[in-house]
Amino acid sequence: MFLCLFLPNWDAPAIRDNKIYVAKSPEISLSNNLIFLDVEGIPDQEFYYLIGLIIIKDNIISSFSFWADEGSDEEGIWKAFLEILINYDELTLLHYGKYEINFLERMKKKYGGDDILFEKIISSSINVLSLIYANIYFPTYSNSLKDIGFYLGYKWSEKGANGLKSIVWRYEWENTRNDFVKQQIITYNLEDCLATKCVAEAIVNISGLGELDMTFIEDIKTEKTSKFEKTKYIFKELEIVNKCAYFDYQREKIFFRNDKRRAASRLKKKKITPEKYPINKSIEIATPESCYECSSSRLGKINQASKTLVNLKFF
């Protein structure tokens, strides 16, 4: 799964100060059984070939990977996934982004399943990304799982691993059937589950005022921008842009015409509308008896028409 979402507002101060800014502590309720889900698929084929689960029960971590060699195996891994979840009376399913929710809905529509179990899964699912959006600003350039995971100290075993590369690996496996490539994809998938676990724990930490280096936005004393002083910018380029924009504003909006020559030059730039000349001569052209081109007399009914021609004699 690959997801990248860019946000404005407090991202720049967070990156500058290398600190987490919190606008609002998200409310998160977790059960005793935590299940972290990550799914791999090929979007243009609408084919899901790998379901990864990390399950935490009584502080015991277990992992499951359901692999589909062909499209015909997709139903099998879906049923295997449901057979795992049916064993839990209560659960909290955590995932990162909407990709997994789309997976659940499509598989239910395509292959069916127990309605009560499916409703329990959907109602207990939590999109970890939605807890971050507009609530928590990490000092990262995006809210992708990779960026936030790296900031929190989580590292993938394969350098540069991402959703796009996993698709490349899948195509490579289909051509070679190399077990090493298959295990590489499975490892990456489970590591995404563990990264989701890492981010979820950080959010719980923030909600519980843990030890993370963070600042609540409401506690920050914002400076007034209306006072007359030099504005400080994070980037020097922004100072140049603001200076040029302010100069253009002065020229167009608050330009004082204290010089007659300058005022006259600005008047010359105004668009001059053309003068309308009066009609002083009318010429009536009689209806022809035959066509000028083919000499046919079957002209039918010709409606009267008029045209104004401006013919100037320059002198």
Side-chain angles (χ1 to χ4, degrees), residues 42-61:
I42 303 177
D44 57 347
Q45 298 180 14
E46 296 185 357
F47 169 46
Y48 300 99
Y49 64 88
L50 178 59
I51 305 173
L53 295 175
I54 293 291
I55 300 177
I56 302 177
K57 181 180 181 182
D58 300 328
N59 295 325
I60 299 176
I61 300 178

Side-chain angles (χ1 to χ4, degrees), residues 153-169:
Y154 187 83
K155 294 182 180 180
W156 281 256
S157 57
E158 184 71 23
K159 186 177 180 180
N162 54 44
L164 183 60
K165 185 171 287 188
S166 69
I167 296 176
V168 175
W169 290 337

Side-chain angles (χ1 to χ4, degrees), residues 81-116:
F81 165 75
L82 295 179
E83 288 176 2
I84 293 293
L85 269 61
I86 201 173
N87 296 321
Y88 298 92
D89 294 331
E90 63 173 13
L91 58 89
T92 303
L93 185 72
L94 297 104
H95 55 92
Y96 204 89
K98 294 182 178 180
Y99 188 80
E100 281 69 27
I101 286 294
N102 293 336
F103 156 78
L104 293 172
E105 293 175 349
R106 288 182 179 179
M107 291 298 98
K108 176 63 169 63
K109 184 177 180 180
K110 193 173 182 179
Y111 301 114
D114 186 88
D115 293 336
I116 298 176

